[in-house]
Amino acid sequence: MNPELLAEFDAFLARVLPADYHERYADYRRDEALKIAYQAAAFDEGWLMPEWEGELGGHNLTEADGLALRIEGARRNVPRSPNVQGPGVVAPALRAFGTREQQQRYLRPVLRGDEWWALGMSEPLAGSDLASLRTRARLDGDHFVVDGQKIWTTQAHKSRWCTLYVRTDPDASKHAGISCLIMDLRSPGVDIRPIARAAESIDEFCEVFLDGVRIPKGNLLGELNDGWRVAGASLEHERDMVWVNNWVDVEHALRPVLDRPDLPGHVASEAGRLLADAAAIRFTGMRTAIGRMAGRSTPEFLLLKLFGSETAQRAGQLALEHGDGRADPHLFADRMESLAATIYGGTSEIQRNIIAEKVLGLPRDR
Amino acid sequence: MTTSPSALAAWDDLVPGAERQELADTARRHFAEQFPLTGVRECFGAGGRPLDRWVEIVEAGYPVIGLPESAGGIGGLTDLVAVVEESGRALLPLPLAATAAGRHTLIRGGLGVPAETDRSTALTTDPAAGVLDGAGAATVVTVAVVDDATTRVAEVTPAGAPELVTHVDPSRPVARWSGSIAEGRAQTVDATIDHVLAPARTIFAADLVGIAAGALQRSVDHALAREQFGRPIGAFQAVKHRLADHYVLVERARSLTRAAAVVVDHPELDTDWAPGVLALLAKAAAAEAALRITATHVQLLGAMGVTFEADAHLYFRRAEQTASVLGSTAECQIRAVRLMGTRR
Ligand SMILES: Cc1cc2nc3c(=O)[nH]c(=O)nc-3n(C[C@H](O)[C@H](O)[C@H](O)COP(=O)(O)OP(=O)(O)OC[C@H]3O[C@@H](n4cnc5c(N)ncnc54)[C@H](O)[C@@H]3O)c2cc1C
């Protein structure tokens, strides 16, 4: 990556972040107003999606340079998007599957953060077994009419739009009858109820009840009954950010522990193991990115979510027990958040199944 | 122009290109065809190891990979670790890893390569405790701490036949010489012992990654073939999930080993760790992977796993024999933390 570009990025950060941002990062990292302002500024000046074109918050970088810039950003602790799934999941899905009209209507505001999005996938009876979802949509003239319920829908109450996964063909096999609809969360028949969280560090989530909600046919994202592919592909896009953030978070958690001069041997050994884990997340992530760009198969990609999220948990535990501020509320908040991270996005148990089946070729569950 | 350490192109060697992949594939076929596990079993007999076949390894050119061109070398440490991983997978009963570790340490010590390149070399930081895979070595490289920032590297010529400690792994015994040892060339370098040992630890890490990957593959094969309760045992999550975790352990160690090799070849990329730390982490990770995976392999075979006939104990013995060379997992991890803690 060209050093002038990095210097330009640093100048941008110096301009938009508070002067004491790095010293007081622990406080700023939960500052929602700052996150909102940062996302808009990063979009306007082309640093949000470095490999995308200028009108879409980009700098037209190659995939390799774009990733390098994101890594540099993560290492500088740039504010993360307050509605991560917007730019992280929805925007790439719109770009991959959306019609021209859909892209024109939705892309800019989701990237800039002007409109927030929610992901309507999980249901009370369809968690890990997402493909068993029951929320139904039937066609009525030029509208879909939707009945059912979603749950754990992050930020639904603060979002304008939702990618809603619904059953459009009840007779097809469970993966084949699902479609993705773009739902206006202000539509009549949508009832959103926030769920009380165990700690504030966990993103706010909601129950979403759907009763005869009418969604225009033109709001179908991707092909009819091809929703399973849209779901899979849109989660793929977050792939690089997840390991980059896990790596940076683990290094962050470890720093105060490493700086303690009097670490007992067994604690130092665990800290060393985590030092290895952090570096291994980084280099395994880089292996998958380099391999992918060279057109190689990169099965090790499938271990990153499991390994990254479980490592972050162990690092959080070590920091809480042996870091400098042992009763630091930030550390507890991180630790609580890390417990959620092995549940959302596919639990650790499901990740192990995926690795065993897709990489090692072991028999499928049932 | 300076390269940013985040630039992906700088780390291209984390993924083998076509040439290195070809080298590794060729080595894998060579070891599988010419050195099947029956040869490892034969080491339990009176004849011991097939040291007379070392010449085949020399002829294949493996021991010079990664050496300076002036010494007839070719490629880098990243190429060497790709081949050593294959020799680990095959449980090669010949001292390729030890020789490579010894020679790269000599270079690190500013002593160049040994005069006699057709014979094997070995390495130790504690001559009294013995030398892993030292039998047959023309010379042994010793490394000793002078102080925190200085390290002494010497080349010694052992006299007479060593006593071989074979109780763990007769295909990779520890050699001990009781007689006097003549010291040859020696040099003191301004570097921590961990910096000096970085290539050697990386090489042994590659060997351990190979052992771990070989045992994992055998576990998977068995989990698919053996049926109980009407299903392959690999259909049970207790087995599946353990193997998935072992896959993570192998790839974790492999990523670290390749990264440690990359920074030996390109020291300018080693900006985020104290010198030698990545190799410590790689060695720690690889030893852990090999120990855990080879033990699980025994477990997954059931009673068959504790027979002489099954190959599982060969992998387990090799892992146990090699895991603690140049520091156990815990020792390497603690050392890495101390080096990182004193850094700033
Ligand atoms: C903070 C947070 C935010 C979330 N945000 C969203 C969101 O925005 N949109 C959305 O759609 N969903 C969201 N989710 C939901 C998330 O995707 C689900 O929680 C997840 O898929 C697991 O489903 P579940 O909670 O129903 O657990 P279950 O599927 O009931 O699992 C319970 C336990 O059983 C285990 N288990 C289940 N199946 C198997 C199996 N086959 N083998 C072994 N073990 C198994 C699981 O691993 C888990 O430990 C969020 C969750 C959290 C915690």
Side-chain angles (χ1 to χ4, degrees), chain A residues 325-339:
Chain A
R326 265 163 251 186
D328 184 339
H330 290 300
L331 292 179
F332 178 75
D334 289 350
R335 174 94 179 103
M336 199 72 218
E337 208 294 318
S338 77
L339 293 190

Side-chain angles (χ1 to χ4, degrees), chain A residues 41-276:
Chain A
F43 175 82
D44 292 341
E45 303 201 27
W47 300 108
L48 189 74
M49 304 297 256
E51 55 289 301
W52 290 19
E53 56 270 33
E55 314 83 79
L56 291 178
H59 248 84
N60 277 316
L61 299 189
T62 61
E63 200 185 345
D65 282 349
L67 180 56
L69 194 82
R70 285 167 189 272
I71 290 176
E72 292 294 347
R75 303 192 80 177
R76 287 160 172 71
N77 297 315
V78 302
R80 296 180 189 177
S81 166
N83 172 237
V84 187
Q85 63 271 16
V89 180
V90 173
L94 285 168
R95 208 160 126 104
F97 297 99
T99 61
R100 266 188 70 85
E101 296 75 54
Q102 288 172 342
Q103 293 182 356
Q104 265 163 6
R105 166 62 188 85
Y106 302 115
L107 265 179
R108 276 185 61 90
V110 67
L111 287 166
R112 198 165 185 282
D114 297 338
E115 288 179 345
W116 285 20
W117 285 67
L119 306 178
M121 306 171 93
S122 306
E123 299 180 2
L125 298 180
S128 296
D129 185 11
L130 177 63
S132 70
L133 62 88
R134 297 169 178 211
T135 294
R136 255 196 83 175
R138 60 185 165 80
L139 260 180
D140 176 23
D142 50 9
H143 281 78
F144 288 100
V145 181
V146 181
D147 291 286
Q149 187 199 336
K150 296 292 171 180
I151 193 169
W152 318 123
T153 323
T154 297
Q155 297 171 330
H157 62 314
K158 292 184 172 174
S159 298
R160 173 67 198 273
W161 302 98
C162 175
T163 47
L164 185 72
Y165 290 84
V166 293
R167 189 155 302 284
T168 36
D169 183 353
D171 301 323
S173 71
K174 69 178 184 180
H175 296 90
I178 297 171
S179 301
C180 179
L181 304 178
I182 298 172
M183 176 171 71
D184 185 343
L185 284 165
R186 296 181 190 163
S187 310
V190 177
D191 179 13
I192 300 171
R193 301 183 197 164
I195 301 168
R197 299 159 290 160
E200 290 199 354
S201 53
I202 294 171
D203 274 336
E204 296 170 273
F205 47 27
C206 305
E207 287 181 288
V208 179
F209 296 90
L210 305 164
D211 181 12
V213 180
R214 295 182 71 80
I215 300 176
K217 234 172 110 177
N219 282 19
L220 181 67
L221 182 61
E223 301 291 313
L224 187 70
N225 296 323
D226 202 23
W228 189 252
R229 202 164 65 92
V230 177
S234 50
L235 292 176
E236 280 259 298
H237 282 282
E238 263 197 314
R239 59 196 171 193
D240 288 326
M241 277 335 279
V242 175
W243 67 259
V244 172
N245 286 341
N246 282 149
W247 154 40
V248 171
D249 288 347
V250 170
E251 288 200 339
H252 233 276
L254 270 180
R255 205 154 301 144
V257 182
L258 295 180
D259 285 344
R260 270 186 58 184
D262 55 341
L263 278 186
H266 70 283
V267 181
S269 179
E270 173 62 4
R273 188 163 201 281
L274 282 160
L275 205 54

Side-chain angles (χ1 to χ4, degrees), chain A residues 239-240 242-244 246 280-289 292 298-311 351 355, chain B residues 247-248 255:
Chain A
R239 59 196 171 193
D240 288 326
V242 175
W243 67 259
V244 172
N246 282 149
I281 293 168
R282 170 184 184 170
F283 291 118
T284 306
M286 290 174 73
R287 274 172 66 193
T288 67
R292 183 175 78 230
T298 55
E300 66 278 3
F301 168 70
L302 292 172
L303 69 81
L304 286 171
K305 201 266 170 179
L306 172 69
F307 180 45
S309 60
E310 296 210 329
T311 300
Q351 301 302 319
I355 292 169
Chain B
Y247 174 73
V248 175
S255 293

Side-chain angles (χ1 to χ4, degrees), chain B residues 29-315:
Chain B
R29 277 195 303 274
H30 178 199
F31 295 139
E33 282 161 19
Q34 300 301 317
F35 297 93
L37 287 183
T38 46
V40 178
R41 270 165 197 292
E42 280 162 14
C43 300
F44 285 80
R49 289 192 309 158
L51 285 177
D52 54 320
R53 296 189 64 190
W54 173 246
V55 57
E56 296 172 43
I57 301 300
V58 173
E59 278 166 7
Y62 303 138
V64 298
I65 300 175
L67 295 182
E69 274 173 39
S70 56
I74 180 168
L77 196 64
T78 38
D79 299 301
L80 179 65
V81 299
V83 171
V84 171
E85 184 181 324
E86 294 307 331
S87 70
R89 184 193 307 274
L91 305 184
L92 183 72
L94 291 170
L96 175 58
T99 298
R103 290 186 183 171
H104 281 270
T105 306
L106 272 187
I107 292 169
R108 239 356 194 219
L111 294 171
V113 285
E116 212 183 329
T117 48
D118 282 355
R119 285 185 55 198
S120 66
T121 320
L123 172 71
T124 185
T125 53
D126 183 1
V131 183
L132 184 69
D133 233 349
T139 55
V140 172
V141 179
T142 64
V143 182
V145 171
V146 177
D147 59 42
D148 274 358
T150 344
T151 304
R152 187 165 191 278
V153 180
E155 188 181 28
V156 303
T157 309
E163 170 208 358
L164 295 183
V165 186
T166 62
H167 60 282
V168 176
D169 181 4
S171 66
R172 180 176 275 177
V174 171
R176 236 185 254 147
W177 282 270
S178 47
S180 65
I181 291 178
E183 186 173 295
R185 305 176 296 158
Q187 179 118 342
T188 300
V189 288
D190 293 332
T192 62
I193 187 168
D194 304 287
H195 193 185
V196 171
L197 289 176
R201 284 201 174 108
T202 305
I203 290 162
F204 280 116
D207 181 71
L208 288 157
V209 167
I211 298 168
L216 175 60
Q217 187 55 54
R218 283 165 169 264
S219 290
V220 169
D221 291 346
H222 182 72
L224 285 167
R226 170 71 173 170
E227 295 197 3
Q228 283 294 281
F229 301 95
R231 311 164 72 186
I233 58 169
F236 300 112
Q237 279 195 354
V239 173
K240 267 172 99 162
H241 286 192
R242 206 157 166 190
L243 292 176
D245 286 336
H246 287 356
Y247 174 73
V248 175
L249 284 178
V250 169
E251 295 301 334
R252 168 182 185 264
R254 185 176 274 147
S255 293
L256 289 168
T257 301
R258 288 186 186 168
V262 169
V263 301
V264 168
D265 287 342
H266 303 280
E268 74 280 7
L269 293 175
D270 201 7
T271 53
D272 293 342
W273 300 269
V277 164
L278 266 183
L280 280 161
L281 299 178
K283 171 65 189 27
E288 181 181 344
L291 288 177
R292 281 180 54 190
I293 294 169
T294 57
T296 299
H297 184 42
V298 173
Q299 175 71 15
L300 286 184
L301 290 181
M304 192 64 202
V306 290
T307 62
F308 186 75
E309 189 191 337
D311 294 331
H313 73 105
L314 303 178
Y315 282 87

